[in-house]
Amino acid sequence: MFEPVRGKPDFPAVEKAIADAWRVDGTYAKSLERRRGAKRFVFYEGPPTANGMPHPGHCLTRAIKDLYPRYRTMRGEYCERKAGWDTHGLPVEVEVCKELGIHSKAEIEAFGIEPFIHKCQQSVWRYMREWEALTERMGFWIDLSAAYVTYHRSFVESVWWALGELFDRGLLYEGHKIVWWWAQGGTALSSGEVGQGYKEVADPSVYVAFPLVDDAGRPTARSLVAWTTTPWTLPSNQFAAVHPDLTYVVLRETCSPGAVPADRVAAEFIVAESLVAAFTEKLKTSFDVVETCQGATLVGRSYLPPFDTFRPAGAPTTAPLLAGGADAIAWRVVAADFVTTDSGTGIVHVAPAFGEVDYGVLVAEQARFAAGSGPGLLNCVAPDGTFTDVFPMGSGRFVKECDRDISRDLRGRGLLVHQEQYVHDYPFCWRADSDPLIQYPRKSWFIRTSQFRAQMLANNERIDWLPEHIKQGRFGNFLETNVDWALSRERYWGTPLPIWRCETTGRTEAVRSFDALLAKPGVSGADAFDRAHAADPTLSPDLRVHKPYIDAVTYDSPFAAGSRMRRVTEVIDCWFDSGAMPFAQWGWPHAGHAEFAAQFPADFISEAIDQTRGWFYSQLAISTLLFGPGASPALPAGAAPPAADYPHPFKTCIVLGHMLGEDGQKMSKSRRNYKEPAAIFDAYGADALRWFFFATQPPWTTIRYSERAIRESVPEFLLRLWNVYSFLVIYARIDGFDPASFLADPGTLDHADLARARGWRPVAERGELDRWMLSELADATAVMVDRLDAYDHFAAAQRLSALVDAVSNWFVRRSRDRFWAAGRADGGPDTDPAKLEAYWTLYETLLTLTRLAAPFVPFVTEELWRNLATVPFGDRVPTSVHLTDYPMARADLVDGDLVRRMALVREIASLGRAARANARLKVRQPLAKVEVIVADARADDVRWLEAHADLVCDELNVKQFEICREPDRYIARVVLPDLKKLGPRLGKDLPRARDALAKADAVALLTALQQHGRAEVPLAGGGVAVVERDDVLVRTTAKPGWTAAESPLAVVVVASELTADLVAEGLVREVVHAVQTQRKALDLEFTDRIELAFATDSADLRAALEAHRDYVAAETLAVRATVAAGAGDGESVDIDGHPLTISIRTVG
RNA sequence: GCGCGCGUAGCUCAGUUGGUUAGAGCGCCACCCUGAUAAGGUGGAGGUCCCAAGUUCGAAUCUUGGCGCGCGCACCA
């Protein structure tokens, strides 16, 4: 028999008990064990960084990541869930720096790389307990004990293999990258960090003359005018760029004859034509246009840079071009598409060292020249942000501080055409906000991803993205504009780049594993870690492959005898770690061959939208490069490459929206605009939070996280489900309904299993309400499976919610009299078959519902399963709902007609109540009659309705139900045009046709359409519109003066006249209600019998009670009911204005 | 600035290929029902469908241009 249920559930307490039981029982492991050998459902955990507290956004991700593996497991698939942790990267270093109170790389090095790394490794786990606790508390089933960790040696070595592979295929190369550089701290900043530090500042804005030169290199009187807001980059000028398609003009200042300005060398300026007006305005003078030309004609002209920092005197230095001929290597006009006329002069000063676009110009120019003869990178700024001796004017001073001197110098030489202040946003260091960042070239290692653009796009094409627009939108666009992956980081805590360089020749090679390194000739330094470990045995052996120990390992150079190979100093971008996890989580290809073969690619992954350029990209890029078509990776013995078929490494990806705080702003700790997940769990439970995530919005919308919304999502589903369950248990205990006493061999309590129960009646033989309930159940099951297979849990959750509503507000309510009937449901001689049937139906429905809901709300469903299945049946049934199979719809139980008709009855009942409310007739007051006008119903539905008059009467507390045969008494009909049909045909005549239809005699029109199939409607202003039967819609409206309610399906009219008998019945119902209230107040058991004594001065009420004495007694479980005149003992109540005292005595 | 997404009731969101009076849930108010009920029912109040222009017989829906929010890429000579 079921255990008693407490009426007011304490979900958090239930969940804790369930979680404990799972832990003790090893339920997760069992759920896997059951499916061993089955078809795999491959899931990858995108590794969270355990370097901060988990927040509600992480809960959403983890809820989604839990739902589908649970579902698929119940569907019979084998889904391993290996946890993972992202442990490398700048955020970890920053965290440690904060702790140490230091900032810059110099300070880290002063502290010591070795102890710094140790601190990083320890710091990573700082919040791990929190993460693990959250994971368990949420019911996120994942194997934390087998988690992969990106700093572990096996993971690092997998990454090394991947990088070695790329290196050997020539896909890993060294180049320059223009980075945002914090000169004072000596470090590059990530784009995220740069984004945090923008400030609006006023910088000098200078217009500088670049005089064109003649063949001998002498300046002419004609100058290009370039514009810049960073004067300090002018000494490193290398090119001037124009747009080839723009029109440029040569201007000569209009001045009084003979008065040539003395302070200007150039008398003629070249600027873009469209900027002449702005330019003239700035200079507050006037110009004559001397000449007009296309930008293309300027290309190739040489000019004099503003400083002779790098330019030798004399004619321009030229070098041979690959295409033949020769060209000046620098200080030449080039064509560039990025030149715009939004501001400036249409002529761009190009200093490749200090701008990414500028650097692109240099790279393009270098490609035109024979190798080695083209332009090099000109740079007179040191990494600390000061000018080098190459530019004596600023030597040793921070570049930005030299802007003023540079301007002054230019003015002195007559090259400064104009100067002003320019207000714009400029990035500063987020840690030291007075330090401006500068763009600066750094050596960097790159992966040649841009060469694989087409393959990555082809791979992307095959991925199922949810929402769909990610594929062609955000992600597709990102791939289209792919640039090579800047892999290296000049930092400390990360996977070391496994490249060793010859001291002498500078030649490099990649190492694919630590053993391969040890096998190198003349290797030394591998003992550095051993010594450290001997000194501190707590040191993790995983640090062996990290800085600084790995840097100590050197070996003989194969490129130059007697020379040593040393590792390059960089570590790599930690996104590469995360993207390598599909194989690196197994240590593949050095180990884990079987695991990798079975777990690639993933069927399903999910993260928030910010991972588009993060984990989604890193995975796709690495997988495409390593395993795409044409790649034949060199593998250790035993390892086999995966199939190259797209998509890989993941097939379906749900991209989650971001979660905002209570105020609709970004969640932020400092703003305190969200509740900690733990507080939500304690107050409402994990299932409440999960249901909120699943059922309140599609997962890719931006979610407003609000405690109120979570709280409010509880009653509509969890509580309602619990109430139904509680109802079943309460009455089953009273009536002795113990399913185990009917069923020796319960199997998994599926429909077919229950059918073996003693006294089971096939569904087809059961009452209509039961057949309807099981039909709804089967339909919901079909919808759920269909939606979940399509990764549409939002729709599935909504269907589930509707099902619970159907059970609670229709099946249980309509079945109450069966549950409350006198007989028992224990299979004994007193058993009432109708009651037993109701139990079986409700029991089956709840069991199935529990399994349907299990992946969504694993705790509550487990509790239901426990009491409904394992308590009665013990170990004859699965010990956990998560060890059952997901229900599959029984098409044979779906009765579409019944479902449609029951919906119609529910609609009529609802309309009837609305009609009563309109007339202020409460439901306890019986009424004589209800009439229903059904719109467009099928004849057999109407017959069915008439056969269910009792049901409607009962719901509405009326004596008689009738389908109205003369609807025109109550309703008016309006004929409306079906705009979708008539619109295209009538076009501009439509408004007139609509008016004509509205004015026409609806009955006559409908009759005509019925008989002839068509009718002609005269239009105002002439002409007629031909209307056919299907071109119109008929709307029925209750005529004024009737107590009625309407919907598109029906109009329900309630007869509102009251007779004396009806009034008496109403009074009696009121009395019954009053008695029930008393019973409740006296805390009587549902089964307690009572004696009733009524006393009232009202003769009407006495008469009513005497007339319906048996009814009152039956309804209130009274063995006796007496009615006396006058005032009696007991509770005094008012029955519609009649005084009454009720005295209740329990008997037995 | 560029790209992607979003903008509908106090809140969270639906709104099919353009179509008739823009819906639901929650919240609020009123009434009702209640022998599972922190539940349920009925009604009410609550909307410039972000703004503007255009296309169309007809626009929340399509087009264009703005505005606001989020994210990403840049911040630019």
Side-chain angles (χ1 to χ4, degrees):
Chain A
M1 179 51 75
F2 313 121
E3 291 172 0
V5 178
R6 40 184 305 186
K8 292 178 184 176
D10 178 351
F11 290 120
V14 168
E15 291 177 0
K16 280 193 186 100
I18 297 287
D20 288 342
W22 283 343
R23 198 179 317 110
V24 171
D25 179 57
T27 316
Y28 166 57
K30 285 180 180 170
S31 79
L32 281 178
E33 197 49 49
R34 272 186 91 222
R35 304 302 190 195
R36 193 167 295 283
K39 175 173 175 285
R40 287 197 182 231
F41 179 72
V42 180
F43 164 77
Y44 290 163
E45 161 75 330
T49 309
N51 196 60
M53 285 290 280
H55 68 75
H58 300 117
C59 294
L60 168 64
T61 324
R62 294 178 105 56
I64 305 281
K65 286 177 179 181
D66 185 57
L67 174 68
Y68 289 100
R70 277 186 191 270
Y71 169 67
R72 289 294 183 155
T73 301
M74 288 182 78
R75 284 293 303 280
E77 296 176 7
Y78 180 70
C79 178
E80 276 187 43
R81 282 150 269 178
K82 188 178 175 69
W85 302 107
D86 193 6
T87 56
H88 281 147
L90 196 59
V92 181
E93 294 192 22
V94 168
E95 183 87 3
V96 170
C97 283
K98 260 190 224 157
E99 185 192 327
L100 297 174
I102 59 177
H103 281 328
S104 67
K105 282 173 69 179
E107 288 171 300
I108 291 170
E109 295 192 9
F111 177 76
I113 295 175
E114 188 172 359
F116 185 77
I117 293 304
H118 298 170
K119 283 210 162 289
C120 287
Q121 190 246 335
Q122 289 151 11
S123 161
V124 162
W125 303 117
R126 188 167 303 172
Y127 297 99
M128 173 118 147
R129 283 252 156 281
E130 301 284 348
W131 276 90
E132 291 187 337
L134 173 91
T135 301
E136 195 191 1
R137 184 65 191 83
M138 281 198 63
F140 178 26
W141 272 0
I142 189 160
D143 192 348
L144 292 167
S145 65
Y148 66 90
V149 177
T150 57
Y151 78 73
H152 281 180
R153 175 173 163 179
S154 75
F155 198 100
V156 167
E157 289 188 275
S158 285
V159 173
W160 282 7
W161 169 81
L163 292 170
E165 184 67 26
L166 296 177
F167 181 90
D168 291 348
R169 284 167 61 194
L171 300 175
L172 190 54
Y173 68 95
E174 206 174 6
H176 280 283
K177 180 181 165 65
I178 306 296
V179 296
W180 278 110
W181 183 250
W182 177 33
Q184 289 84 344
T187 192
L189 269 64
S190 71
S191 67
E193 294 173 297
V194 175
Q196 286 175 50
Y198 276 91
K199 289 201 292 193
E200 192 174 79
V201 290
D203 273 327
S205 157
V206 294
Y207 293 75
V208 185
F210 291 5
L212 295 175
V213 295
D214 59 20
D215 291 344
R218 288 186 300 264
T220 64
R222 191 169 279 191
S223 293
L224 305 162
V225 180
W227 176 67
T228 180
T229 55
T230 50
W232 59 268
T233 62
L234 287 168
S236 304
N237 171 273
Q238 213 161 346
F239 296 100
V242 297
H243 197 293
D245 303 334
L246 278 177
T247 304
Y248 290 82
V249 292
V250 180
L251 301 176
R252 181 180 297 147
E253 196 162 358
T254 314
C255 39
S256 47
V260 177
D263 62 339
R264 288 192 196 121
V265 171
E268 292 175 347
F269 297 142
I270 303 174
V271 299
E273 184 179 38
S274 59
L275 288 162
V276 168
F279 183 70
T280 308
E281 169 73 17
K282 284 185 197 302
L283 269 63
K284 295 196 169 48
T285 178
S286 59
F287 291 102
D288 299 321
V289 173
V290 179
E291 204 178 310
T292 299
C293 65
Q294 288 301 106
T297 64
L298 294 169
V299 172
R301 298 288 303 270
S302 284
Y303 63 87
L304 213 53
F307 294 94
D308 56 3
T309 327
F310 295 99
R311 186 185 189 277
T317 311
T318 61
L321 295 171
L322 286 175
D327 217 342
I329 57 166
W331 309 293
R332 169 166 50 79
V333 177
V334 297
D337 290 337
F338 60 77
V339 176
T340 66
T341 54
D342 297 340
S343 55
T345 59
I347 298 172
V348 173
H349 146 65
V350 178
F354 308 113
E356 215 171 330
V357 179
D358 306 51
Y359 188 75
V361 171
L362 177 68
V363 170
E365 283 299 320
Q366 283 171 334
R368 297 174 61 226
F369 289 89
S373 67
L377 182 66
L378 303 185
N379 180 7
C380 57
V381 177
D384 65 359
T386 63
F387 280 112
T388 60
D389 296 341
V390 176
F391 184 64
M393 185 198 302
S395 178
R397 294 161 64 202
F398 187 62
V399 291
K400 285 237 163 197
E401 286 162 13
C402 298
D403 279 347
R404 192 184 303 260
D405 291 343
I406 288 169
S407 302
R408 193 173 296 136
D409 182 74
L410 290 170
R411 181 177 293 118
R413 290 187 284 129
L415 296 172
L416 187 68
V417 179
H418 180 67
Q419 176 171 22
E420 61 191 15
Q421 291 282 297
Y422 187 76
V423 178
H424 63 159
D425 289 332
Y426 194 86
F428 288 73
C429 178
W430 60 281
R431 283 168 287 188
D433 63 3
S434 58
D435 293 351
L437 302 178
I438 59 173
Q439 294 219 316
Y440 196 76
R442 297 296 291 176
K443 283 241 173 175
S444 182
W445 289 84
F446 292 85
I447 301 174
R448 232 177 268 285
T449 52
S450 59
Q451 191 178 308
F452 290 81
R453 197 175 297 160
Q455 279 103 311
M456 289 193 287
L457 283 166
N459 197 350
N460 177 44
E461 200 55 46
R462 304 294 306 278
I463 294 170
D464 278 327
W465 290 98
L466 295 137
E468 227 180 292
H469 62 73
I470 300 284
K471 180 189 286 188
Q472 304 303 340
R474 190 176 285 232
F475 197 69
N477 288 347
F478 179 62
L479 294 179
E480 298 274 4
T481 58
N482 183 266
V483 293
D484 285 350
W485 185 343
L487 180 72
S488 55
R489 297 287 180 270
E490 297 177 89
R491 301 296 310 187
Y492 310 97
W493 178 239
T495 299
L497 188 60
I499 292 174
W500 269 255
R501 190 195 306 271
C502 172
E503 292 176 322
T504 307
T505 62
R507 293 178 67 182
T508 51
E509 64 178 18
V511 169
R512 296 181 179 214
S513 72
F514 194 70
D515 287 343
L517 179 62
L518 293 184
K520 292 289 184 186
V523 68
S524 75
D527 52 346
F529 178 78
D530 297 325
R531 283 197 306 277
H533 191 255
D536 177 5
T538 66
L539 220 52
S540 164
D542 292 307
L543 294 183
R544 185 184 291 280
V545 291
H546 282 80
K547 278 170 96 68
Y549 310 110
I550 196 68
D551 293 345
V553 182
T554 62
Y555 59 88
D556 290 340
S557 170
F559 306 112
S563 186
R564 298 290 288 173
M565 297 291 283
R566 289 187 190 285
R567 198 185 74 84
V568 300
T569 57
E570 293 95 334
V571 297
I572 65 164
D573 181 4
C574 62
W575 286 112
F576 194 93
D577 293 345
S578 70
M581 68 67 62
F583 53 90
Q585 64 173 333
W586 308 109
W588 191 88
H590 307 303
H593 300 152
E595 287 88 343
F596 178 63
Q599 293 280 120
F600 184 96
D603 289 296
F604 167 67
I605 64 168
S606 180
E607 294 290 339
I609 184 131
D610 54 24
Q611 295 299 326
T612 318
R613 287 106 207 276
W615 191 51
F616 300 153
Y617 171 67
S618 66
Q619 279 189 95
L620 183 93
I622 292 172
S623 202
T624 306
L625 265 65
L626 287 178
F627 306 127
S632 52
L635 295 168
D645 302 348
Y646 293 141
H648 60 80
F650 52 88
K651 295 178 181 170
T652 300
C653 180
I654 299 185
V655 183
L656 306 175
H658 267 135
M659 198 174 292
L660 304 177
E662 303 261 358
D663 53 1
Q665 302 289 108
K666 256 172 102 155
M667 278 197 283
S668 89
K669 280 199 186 118
S670 58
R671 216 174 297 151
R672 301 212 130 277
N673 60 352
Y674 68 92
K675 261 270 189 344
E676 292 295 331
I680 298 294
F681 296 144
D682 290 345
Y684 314 103
D687 281 343
L689 185 63
R690 292 172 64 116
W691 186 256
F692 166 72
F693 288 147
F694 296 142
T696 46
Q697 62 272 300
W700 40 81
T701 53
T702 305
I703 298 171
R704 177 96 69 101
Y705 174 86
S706 102
E707 181 177 7
R708 205 185 61 146
I710 295 162
R711 180 176 58 236
E712 287 168 357
S713 76
V714 174
E716 69 163 16
F717 180 72
L718 286 177
L719 200 53
R720 232 190 273 183
L721 176 61
W722 186 272
N723 287 336
V724 174
Y725 153 72
S726 159
F727 178 93
L728 171 72
V729 171
I730 287 169
Y731 288 99
R733 288 176 60 84
I734 291 170
D735 289 326
F737 174 74
D738 181 359
S741 70
F742 296 91
L743 187 56
D745 171 22
T748 57
L749 292 171
D750 222 331
H751 185 80
D753 298 315
L754 296 178
R756 289 194 298 271
R758 181 165 51 85
W760 167 272
R761 284 179 69 187
V763 174
E765 296 170 20
R766 286 195 216 174
E768 199 161 58
L769 193 59
D770 300 74
R771 283 189 283 119
W772 170 79
M773 186 68 256
L774 294 173
S775 180
E776 276 287 314
L777 182 65
D779 177 68
T781 303
V783 171
M784 297 279 296
V785 167
D786 175 68
R787 289 296 80 210
L788 287 176
D789 284 351
Y791 295 94
D792 182 6
H793 56 262
F794 178 54
Q798 288 183 321
R799 184 65 188 90
L800 196 57
S801 203
L803 179 64
V804 171
D805 178 70
V807 185
S808 175
N809 290 324
W810 195 249
F811 180 76
V812 169
R813 197 154 61 80
R814 291 308 313 159
S815 300
R816 273 182 182 154
D817 51 357
R818 281 196 290 167
F819 287 110
W820 296 339
R824 291 189 50 84
D826 56 6
D830 297 332
T831 294
D832 171 354
K835 176 182 269 192
L836 185 56
E837 216 163 276
Y839 275 114
W840 277 122
T841 303
L842 183 55
Y843 184 62
E844 177 177 352
T845 302
L846 261 179
L847 282 175
T848 307
L849 188 47
T850 299
R851 285 188 291 149
L852 287 173
F856 293 83
V857 284
F859 293 103
V860 173
T861 50
E862 187 74 316
E863 174 63 11
L864 264 56
W865 181 263
R866 192 188 64 78
N867 199 19
L868 295 178
T870 49
V871 167
F873 289 101
D875 57 10
R876 284 179 286 161
V877 292
T879 53
S880 162
V881 71
H882 306 292
L883 300 178
T884 66
D885 292 347
Y886 206 74
M888 293 308 282
R890 299 264 312 220
D892 57 318
L893 297 182
V894 178
D895 182 339
D897 288 340
L898 186 53
V899 166
R900 186 183 65 251
R901 290 164 181 171
M902 199 66 90
L904 183 58
V905 166
R906 291 183 74 178
E907 175 89 0
I908 288 169
S910 169
L911 289 169
R913 277 190 291 268
R916 292 188 73 115
N918 283 341
R920 306 216 160 272
L921 290 164
K922 54 188 172 183
V923 180
R924 267 200 296 266
Q925 174 60 58
L927 295 175
K929 192 174 179 186
V930 59
E931 297 201 44
V932 176
I933 301 115
V934 185
D936 282 340
R938 299 153 47 143
D940 50 349
D941 285 2
V942 171
R943 276 196 301 280
W944 184 90
L945 263 183
E946 287 184 304
H948 289 74
D950 290 353
L951 201 169
V952 177
C953 289
D954 189 48
E955 277 292 309
L956 292 176
N957 194 18
V958 295
K959 301 290 178 189
Q960 199 191 348
F961 165 88
E962 214 170 81
I963 296 289
C964 183
R965 305 288 176 199
E966 303 167 54
D968 297 326
R969 273 175 64 199
Y970 306 116
I971 61 165
R973 293 172 198 267
V974 179
V975 178
L976 295 170
D978 186 338
L979 297 176
K980 278 190 184 178
K981 296 212 174 80
L982 285 175
R985 216 168 72 208
L986 297 180
K988 284 191 198 301
D989 289 337
L990 192 75
R992 285 189 295 152
R994 179 164 47 192
D995 294 346
L997 281 173
K999 282 190 204 120
D1001 177 343
V1003 177
L1005 186 64
L1006 285 171
T1007 310
L1009 284 173
Q1010 210 71 49
Q1011 286 171 357
H1012 312 297
R1014 46 176 283 162
E1016 291 190 350
V1017 184
L1019 299 179
V1024 290
V1026 175
V1027 177
E1028 296 185 3
R1029 178 74 192 87
D1030 293 339
D1031 292 337
V1032 297
L1033 304 169
V1034 182
R1035 168 164 300 188
T1036 56
T1037 317
K1039 282 184 177 168
W1042 291 93
T1043 293
E1046 57 186 304
S1047 82
L1049 286 179
V1051 178
V1052 175
V1053 185
V1054 172
S1056 53
E1057 318 88 276
L1058 290 174
T1059 63
D1061 283 350
L1062 290 174
V1063 170
E1065 278 185 51
L1067 290 174
V1068 168
R1069 296 268 310 233
E1070 287 292 341
V1071 172
V1072 169
H1073 177 227
V1075 173
Q1076 306 291 30
T1077 310
Q1078 283 295 306
R1079 282 190 64 119
K1080 209 170 180 179
L1082 292 169
D1083 223 9
L1084 300 188
E1085 288 300 315
F1086 303 142
T1087 49
D1088 288 340
R1089 306 287 147 153
I1090 56 171
E1091 282 187 356
L1092 277 172
F1094 298 113
T1096 175
D1097 284 331
S1098 162
D1100 288 348
L1101 184 51
R1102 264 199 317 276
L1105 281 169
E1106 274 156 9
H1108 298 95
R1109 191 193 305 268
D1110 293 346
Y1111 169 78
V1112 174
E1115 286 294 304
T1116 59
L1117 292 186
V1119 295
R1120 257 173 54 135
T1122 60
V1123 184
D1129 299 334
E1131 205 68 25
S1132 296
V1133 291
D1134 176 276
I1135 304 295
D1136 281 354
H1138 306 275
L1140 178 72
T1141 58
I1142 304 171
S1143 150
I1144 296 181
R1145 200 167 67 82
T1146 0
V1147 293

